[in-house]
Amino acid sequence: MPASSPELPRFPADFVWGASTAAYQIEGAADEDGKGPSIWDTFTHRAGTVRDGHTGDVACDHYHRFDEDVALMRRLGLDAYRFSVSWPRILPSGAGKVEPRGLDFYERLVDALLDAGIEPTPTLFHWDLPQALEDEGGWLNRETAYRFGEYAAVVADRLGDRVTRWITLNEPFVHMSFGYGFGVHAPGRALLLDALPVAHHQLLGHGLATAALRAAVPDAQVLVANNCTPVRLRQDARGEADTAAADAYDILHNRLFNDPLLHGRYPDLSAYGMPDPAWGGVVRDGDLTSIGAPLDGLGINYYNPSWITAPRDPAAGLPFDLAEPAEPYLRTSFDWPVVPDGLTELLTGLKARYGADLPPVWITENGCSQPEGSHDPARIDYLAGHLGAVADAMAQGVDVRGYFTWSLLDNFEWAEGYHQRFGLVEVDFATGARTPRASFDWYRDLIAAQRP
Ligand code: FCB
């Protein structure tokens, strides 16, 4: 461990050590074996969407090299691997005809993981919606939620005898805001607050998928992976209007997703011009019962806190402004501030807010982008600091069951293309060659040292 890393306490013997990836970011093979196009295939091929015109057509070529990647995971000593299933590989048109070759691929991956003693932890939706469903309105259309439930049943039917831990959605907040609110991610729609139904329809899809998973897999453990952020005020911005703005941001980013899942109701959306609890007919009878069905775990993806001030231009349409922190935090290559204690604040805050309704928590993503090369001491410090923050939250009574770092491999980082490198393993995107970084060895040694 580098000198600057804090000493890590012992985690419980059954704590799960993992790593995460997502289908579009690593698989490549964009139109192989009958796969249909996803919104990310469409978006990345549109000029001006992704930095330098990068696409996920080939990415890490994991589709053809998954054996090599599972061997890397085995070397790491992972307990579990979080990957995502590409919906358009399974249902090329989003619904109807199933493509068995897509299911075969995930079956081969799951079997390779199980052979390596690694628990497969699939996410059913990590943003790559079948384009055919986007053509019908995507997540703005309530029907997409039903299609998601049907797709979950198809995957569970094939893999449910071998997979027990399932994650339905990845970061419904980010998909709504970046994909439909601001248009910087696929499907590239800039609807601002008119994107709100995307939140409800994803959550309804989660509810329907949860029911489908539980029907097909009697011992299923169902989680959702929410991107959560502790909301902070700048020291120089602590007036009443700033506090109101921070509350409004907390509602949009965190509570809009956590409240219905954990408390079975939406927070007050008056700050967003939506005083009607039924959102003008979007939220229908029975929806919240389905969404609020008890979860087996809450997945948390944490990267950094958010600093909020009152809007400088209230006419711009949002009740807050995102600000930069006043403190000189270390920064990742993405320029994201490195704030490990934000994770402790987030976890203890969830426990304070949801109490007995908070299920066991899993850190389903946490990691950082660092410069190219295999020498990455800043990543080691980042991981050590954040694991220390998890341990602090556990010492304060938060039940955290596992930690999945983002990411196993350098990969296609959405609007940033291949410019942001999050991997424990460096990938040469010209040749596909994988080179474990210093952080890989550090994580391997950490996991080994934590073994009972
Ligand atoms: C999260 C995404 C994940 C990855 C990390 C850096 O928002 O879920 O796919 O891009 O950010």
Side-chain angles (χ1 to χ4, degrees), residues 291-327:
I291 294 168
L295 281 168
D296 299 295
L298 177 66
I300 295 293
N301 295 359
Y302 171 75
Y303 290 95
N304 46 253
S306 301
W307 281 266
I308 298 298
T309 63
R312 279 161 291 238
D313 173 13
L318 291 172
F320 59 82
D321 267 356
L322 292 167
E324 285 296 323
E327 300 88 337

Side-chain angles (χ1 to χ4, degrees), residues 22 25 82 126-127 170-171 174 185 227 301 303 334 336 365 406 411-414 422:
Q25 297 182 273
R82 174 180 176 232
H126 201 125
W127 305 348
N170 179 68
E171 300 189 350
V174 176
H185 280 182
N227 180 298
N301 295 359
Y303 290 95
F334 224 139
W336 295 351
E365 284 183 27
W406 185 271
N411 58 50
F412 174 82
E413 177 46 40
W414 310 115
F422 278 89

Side-chain angles (χ1 to χ4, degrees), residues 115-401:
D115 277 352
I118 298 167
E119 187 164 8
T121 305
T123 301
L124 289 171
F125 180 65
H126 201 125
W127 305 348
D128 46 354
L129 188 76
Q131 180 61 41
L133 296 183
E134 178 59 25
D135 295 342
E136 303 291 320
W139 288 108
L140 290 163
N141 182 349
R142 183 179 171 95
E143 285 299 309
T144 297
Y146 296 99
R147 301 296 85 77
F148 186 61
E150 293 157 12
Y151 152 63
V154 170
V155 181
D157 185 50
R158 177 69 87 91
L159 301 179
D161 57 341
R162 280 155 283 182
V163 173
T164 52
R165 194 184 306 116
W166 299 81
I167 298 173
T168 55
L169 305 172
N170 179 68
E171 300 189 350
F173 167 74
V174 176
H175 189 54
M176 172 191 76
S177 55
F178 285 24
Y180 290 82
F182 299 115
V184 294
H185 280 182
R189 306 193 61 175
L191 302 171
L192 288 180
L193 291 177
D194 289 339
L196 271 176
V198 170
H200 182 65
H201 295 148
Q202 288 183 92
L203 289 166
L204 179 61
H206 157 83
L208 297 167
T210 301
L213 290 167
R214 292 202 170 124
V217 188
D219 55 349
Q221 296 278 306
V222 182
L223 284 67
V224 62
N226 274 347
N227 180 298
C228 292
T229 183
V231 178
R232 293 185 174 179
L233 290 169
R234 281 176 56 105
Q235 265 134 8
D236 56 355
R238 293 200 168 157
E240 247 173 64
D242 298 306
T243 309
D247 283 347
Y249 191 73
D250 187 34
I251 285 173
L252 187 69
H253 192 133
N254 299 312
R255 293 185 52 200
L256 178 58
F257 300 90
N258 289 331
D259 283 15
L261 288 163
L262 303 179
H263 275 163
R265 59 175 181 266
Y266 280 112
D268 177 5
L269 294 176
S270 309
Y272 294 95
M274 188 80 88
D276 170 14
W279 302 15
V282 170
V283 181
R284 302 198 189 157
D285 281 354
D287 288 1
L288 283 161
T289 309
S290 161
I291 294 168
L295 281 168
D296 299 295
L298 177 66
I300 295 293
N301 295 359
Y302 171 75
Y303 290 95
N304 46 253
S306 301
W307 281 266
I308 298 298
T309 63
R312 279 161 291 238
D313 173 13
L318 291 172
F320 59 82
D321 267 356
L322 292 167
E324 285 296 323
E327 300 88 337
Y329 288 112
L330 284 176
R331 298 275 175 159
T332 72
S333 291
F334 224 139
D335 204 30
W336 295 351
V338 178
V339 192
D341 67 11
L343 181 51
T344 312
E345 178 186 341
L346 172 65
L347 295 171
T348 55
L350 284 167
K351 182 150 170 79
R353 178 177 295 280
Y354 298 104
D357 292 333
L358 182 68
V361 171
W362 296 73
I363 308 303
T364 35
E365 284 183 27
N366 175 244
C368 63
S369 162
Q370 292 297 340
E372 277 185 52
S374 56
H375 178 64
D376 58 347
R379 177 172 287 106
I380 295 173
D381 284 349
Y382 183 100
L383 297 177
H386 285 76
L387 280 164
V390 172
D392 287 348
M394 292 169 79
Q396 292 176 57
V398 184
D399 180 6
V400 185
R401 301 287 175 91

